[in-house]
Amino acid sequence: MSNTPTKTFSQCNKCKRVLVCDGYVYHLNKLCSKVKYWRCGNRLCAAVIHTDINDQFKVRKGDHSNHLSSPAYIEILSFKSNIKQCVVTEATPIGRIYDEELVKAQLSQTALSVVASTQDAKSSLNRIHRLETPRLPITCRFDIPTLYNLTINVERFLLYDKMRRNKRNLIFATGDQLRVLFKAKQILMDGTFSLYPHFLNNFTRFMQLSFPSAFVLLAGRSGSIYKEMLQQLEEEPECVQMNFVPN
């Protein structure tokens, strides 16, 4: 029968990796070429675990006779680690992520009594999100990450991305927005020439009444650019099996 203890890994508040074993938390104390030395998170405890460089268990020394395990603390560590992963990889609002993960975690009453509220956690989670958010581009030559090409339901959001003579035009819209737009008999265009990156020239919205149906970033204000944008939108109804015939 194997005496290898059950271990998992999580993250502490400072995003540092910790080892969780038999109800106790260990922090990395020393890293050598072949061995990792983990020490109990309680500073008064001398219990240690050694793993190899691939985190495979080697040996455990000492015990936790001077303190109890902290299952509630471990629950919260796992909960926070899952939230941070979602904040980094998803575009879902942080408040919604926090509430959904809190329901999934099914924390004990002890853990629930000490875990931060959604409002209190937003500040640190927003900071993590900002660190992972791509910086605003300074030229028109940039890659758009997949996260921003798709909706949170993994449906297409970037409809059109064309570069011509160092000028780039972009059209964003969801399938539902397009269906609303194509059903409309009258459409409105609302543009701004001040709030946009310097290498673009304007930001335009197509609207059906007061409902935004498409978002367009254009590299100029010429008639040919607007014509190109409208021609592209006229091709989209075929993709959703609709007709686009506004008055």
Side-chain angles (χ1 to χ4, degrees):
M1 187 175 179
S2 175
N3 292 322
T4 302
T6 302
K7 66 182 186 338
T8 58
F9 292 90
S10 188
Q11 285 186 334
C12 64
N13 291 338
K14 296 181 180 180
C15 294
K16 292 184 178 180
R17 199 160 176 252
V18 296
L19 184 154
V20 179
C21 181
D22 295 342
Y24 296 93
V25 176
Y26 295 77
H27 295 265
L28 184 62
N29 188 47
K30 186 179 179 181
L31 174 62
C32 295
S33 59
K34 295 183 178 181
V35 181
K36 292 180 180 179
Y37 299 88
W38 304 85
R39 180 163 184 155
C40 179
N42 187 319
R43 294 179 178 273
L44 301 178
C45 180
V48 295
I49 287 179
H50 298 175
T51 65
D52 64 18
I53 201 68
N54 297 316
D55 296 327
Q56 298 301 310
F57 177 80
K58 292 177 69 69
V59 67
R60 174 164 55 181
K61 299 179 181 179
D63 56 35
H64 304 273
S65 57
N66 65 339
H67 70 101
L68 298 174
S69 61
S70 303
Y73 176 63
I74 294 172
E75 286 183 75
I76 293 173
L77 274 182
S78 178
F79 168 62
K80 288 182 175 179
S81 180
N82 291 339
I83 287 179
K84 289 174 183 176
Q85 184 64 25
C86 292
V87 167
V88 168
T89 58
E90 298 180 12
T92 309
I94 287 175
R96 181 176 167 186
I97 289 176
Y98 195 91
D99 292 339
E100 289 178 352
E101 290 300 318
L102 187 60
V103 172
K104 291 179 186 177
Q106 296 184 336
L107 300 178
S108 64
Q109 289 296 323
T110 304
L112 282 172
S113 66
V114 295
V115 73
S117 67
T118 305
Q119 195 62 36
D120 291 337
K122 274 186 176 181
S123 177
S124 60
L125 293 176
N126 275 322
R127 186 162 54 250
I128 293 171
H129 182 70
R130 285 195 298 270
L131 291 174
E132 296 297 329
T133 302
R135 293 184 177 182
L136 288 176
I138 57 175
T139 72
C140 61
R141 297 184 181 277
F142 60 90
D143 294 326
I144 301 177
T146 302
L147 182 64
Y148 300 94
N149 288 339
L150 306 173
T151 68
I152 59 175
N153 296 321
V154 199
E155 297 176 354
R156 185 178 65 151
F157 184 50
L158 176 60
L159 302 185
Y160 183 70
D161 183 358
K162 195 74 173 180
M163 175 83 73
R164 288 183 180 175
R165 299 177 183 175
N166 286 328
K167 292 186 177 182
R168 192 171 183 179
N169 297 321
L170 301 162
I171 301 178
F172 294 88
T174 66
D176 289 338
Q177 286 176 314
L178 290 177
R179 290 184 185 92
V180 171
L181 178 66
F182 299 151
K183 288 179 181 178
K185 297 301 181 183
Q186 293 183 336
I187 59 173
L188 304 174
M189 289 176 60
D190 175 32
T192 177
F193 304 103
S194 56
L195 300 176
Y196 54 83
H198 70 86
F199 55 85
L200 295 170
N201 200 271
N202 72 74
F203 169 70
T204 301
R205 291 184 301 172
F206 279 84
M207 305 180 69
Q208 190 273 328
L209 296 180
S210 60
F211 181 79
S213 301
F215 306 94
V216 184
L217 289 165
L218 300 175
R221 309 179 196 179
S222 66
S224 61
I225 289 179
Y226 281 103
K227 184 177 180 180
E228 177 185 337
M229 173 187 63
L230 291 170
Q231 286 176 341
Q232 183 60 33
L233 285 174
E234 287 175 352
E235 294 176 6
E236 288 297 326
E238 297 178 6
C239 300
V240 291
Q241 299 179 344
M242 295 183 70
N243 295 319
F244 184 36
V245 286
N247 295 336

